[in-house]
Amino acid sequence: MGAPAVQESALRQLSLVPGVVGSMVFGPSGDVASSAFPEVFDAAGLQQLASQLAGDAWLRDWLADDRASLDLRYGDGRAVVRALRGSWLLVLCSADVNSALLAMSLTQALRRLRAQTAEEAAPSAASAGRPEEPSALERLRAIASAELGEHAGQAMEILAAAGQGPADLAQAVSEIEKMTRLFISRKKAEEIGRSMRDVLGA
């Protein structure tokens, strides 16, 4: 999956959060790399907004660190901006958006976007990982595909967004277990969690 497809998928995931109006990724020159806004939002207007934000020295200084964030609240909504290794993610929300759900969804989307930008910056590092880690990832994917039925796609997205280190994969397994408990059953969550942790040797 190419960079634009990864970005568009992450933004579509954010758009499913109740209260999220739209989102976009834009670069330091003000170019919009990807966006997910309703058609009522004019593309030229979004481009102008991205250019203004990218050209704001105060905002650039505030969001210089890769983990920096900015949460702007106004009368009938919120605008959240997060740093992304040289670019930024802007999420426009209504005032009644659930803050906890937004934070959780942002964490997942940012993980996917940062993983994609890391691969672009250092493709050789991605291919030089320890051989057992891709093997473990493939085995986790196989378990999800075989056991989760219609929810396998959500598990695949969680695994795709995770890093390939043991701690990252363990966190992804925990998220899959929670998802399974929520959408299928506690028993199934315990079974798949046990199977996946066996793969990780945890």
Side-chain angles (χ1 to χ4, degrees), residues 1-16 34 36 109 112-113 157:
M1 185 181 288
V6 171
Q7 291 179 356
E8 289 168 9
S9 176
L11 298 187
R12 282 197 303 269
Q13 182 181 357
L14 275 174
S15 70
L16 298 177
S34 297
R112 296 180 66 184
L113 292 168
E157 286 195 0

Side-chain angles (χ1 to χ4, degrees), residues 15 32 57 92 99 107 113 120 122 148 151 163 167 169 175 182-183:
S15 70
V32 177
L92 184 64
S99 295
T107 296
L113 292 168
E120 288 179 346
L148 291 178
H151 299 290
L169 292 176
E175 291 180 17
L182 180 63
F183 292 108

Side-chain angles (χ1 to χ4, degrees), residues 136-192:
L137 181 57
E138 289 299 327
R139 290 168 67 190
L140 293 176
R141 286 174 175 158
I143 292 172
S145 179
E147 300 291 336
L148 291 178
E150 63 180 300
H151 299 290
Q154 292 170 270
M156 295 297 188
E157 286 195 0
I158 292 172
L159 290 170
Q164 295 195 18
D168 296 320
L169 292 176
Q171 178 62 34
V173 168
S174 177
E175 291 180 17
I176 291 170
E177 191 173 3
K178 290 177 185 175
M179 180 202 72
T180 305
R181 185 181 298 112
L182 180 63
F183 292 108
I184 303 179
S185 70
R186 179 183 296 272
K187 181 180 178 182
K188 191 65 176 179
E190 291 173 353
E191 290 176 359
I192 198 165

Side-chain angles (χ1 to χ4, degrees), residues 45-98:
L46 293 174
Q47 179 66 66
Q48 182 179 7
L49 173 61
S51 297
Q52 289 175 339
L53 290 173
D56 189 301
W58 179 86
L59 184 139
R60 292 171 69 104
D61 288 343
W62 184 271
L63 297 174
D65 184 84
D66 187 49
R67 297 292 172 175
S69 65
L70 190 63
D71 192 340
L72 304 172
R73 298 169 188 258
Y74 51 94
D76 56 355
R78 292 169 61 182
V80 181
V81 186
R82 295 290 185 90
L84 280 174
R85 288 192 173 94
S87 59
W88 298 278
L89 167 65
L90 167 72
V91 184
L92 184 64
C93 312
S94 59
D96 60 351
V97 66
N98 184 299

Side-chain angles (χ1 to χ4, degrees), residues 89-135:
L89 167 65
L90 167 72
V91 184
L92 184 64
C93 312
S94 59
D96 60 351
V97 66
N98 184 299
S99 295
L101 182 57
L102 175 63
M104 183 175 68
S105 300
L106 266 173
T107 296
Q108 293 179 350
L110 286 165
R111 185 182 300 159
R112 296 180 66 184
L113 292 168
R114 285 171 177 151
Q116 170 246 313
T117 53
E119 287 175 8
E120 288 179 346
S124 58
S127 63
R130 285 182 273 179
E132 68 272 14
E133 291 177 0
S135 174

